[in-house]
Amino acid sequence: MLAATRHDRFAEADYRLLEGHGMAVARDALRWHLIESRPGRYNWASFLPMLRAARETGTRVIWDLFHYGYPDGLDLFSQEFVDRFAAFVGEFARLAREEGEEEPWVSPVNEISFFSWAAGDAGVMNPFCRGRGGEIKRQLVRASVAAIQALREAAPQAR
């Protein structure tokens, strides 16, 4: 979808289009799998243009921190998944503050129930399981709670 819309390239123009329609708030997603392609190493090049475009246009963005994708080689069912997601969120919060975003608004994990069904019961999304939707849902809730704790430590004003 991103390739079709080229939002990653035209975020500022897209946010200005919203402004032209009287919309001051949007939801946008970080791409964790691009940002952390190696454990503990973060490349924010795919995110910074969006963050800066939001600031330039005055758009309040609700940042979706987990929008289905996660780094290659990471086991969704592992404790490492929870720990790395929390670390990623903490680094996001620190970066956002460095960029002047004192009060980031976030959705830690996008559509937990849908993802759990699609990835764990229907088997149509990574990790393409069947009969494990409940397990995935519990894991995403654990990841969300850990992420919220990391977010509050790094950016107490986050919402």
Side-chain angles (χ1 to χ4, degrees), residues 67-131:
H67 196 93
Y68 310 136
Y70 51 95
D72 289 341
L74 185 57
D75 179 2
L76 175 65
F77 299 98
S78 69
Q79 182 59 44
E80 181 186 10
F81 176 88
V82 173
D83 296 342
R84 279 184 54 190
F85 183 61
F88 166 70
V89 171
E91 291 301 316
F92 153 79
R94 281 184 274 289
L95 176 71
R97 288 186 69 193
E98 287 173 10
E99 289 286 321
E101 180 69 46
E102 292 295 321
E103 186 183 26
W105 290 11
V106 303
S107 170
V109 179
N110 182 60
E111 299 175 334
I112 289 175
S113 292
F114 173 76
F115 182 78
S116 299
W117 168 80
D121 288 323
V124 297
M125 293 174 68
N126 191 27
F128 305 103
C129 298
R130 294 194 181 270

Side-chain angles (χ1 to χ4, degrees), residues 31-43 71-73 84:
R31 291 170 288 160
W32 182 19
H33 69 287
L34 292 180
I35 294 168
E36 188 188 6
S37 60
R38 290 188 295 172
R41 296 203 174 197
Y42 305 100
N43 178 344
D72 289 341
R84 279 184 54 190

Side-chain angles (χ1 to χ4, degrees), residues 14-28 53-55 57-63 101 105:
D14 292 344
Y15 294 154
R16 290 203 190 284
L17 284 171
L18 293 176
E19 181 182 38
H21 292 283
M23 298 173 69
V25 179
R27 186 176 76 164
D28 216 334
R55 185 179 58 235
T57 61
T59 304
R60 165 56 75 186
V61 175
I62 301 166
W63 298 109
E101 180 69 46
W105 290 11

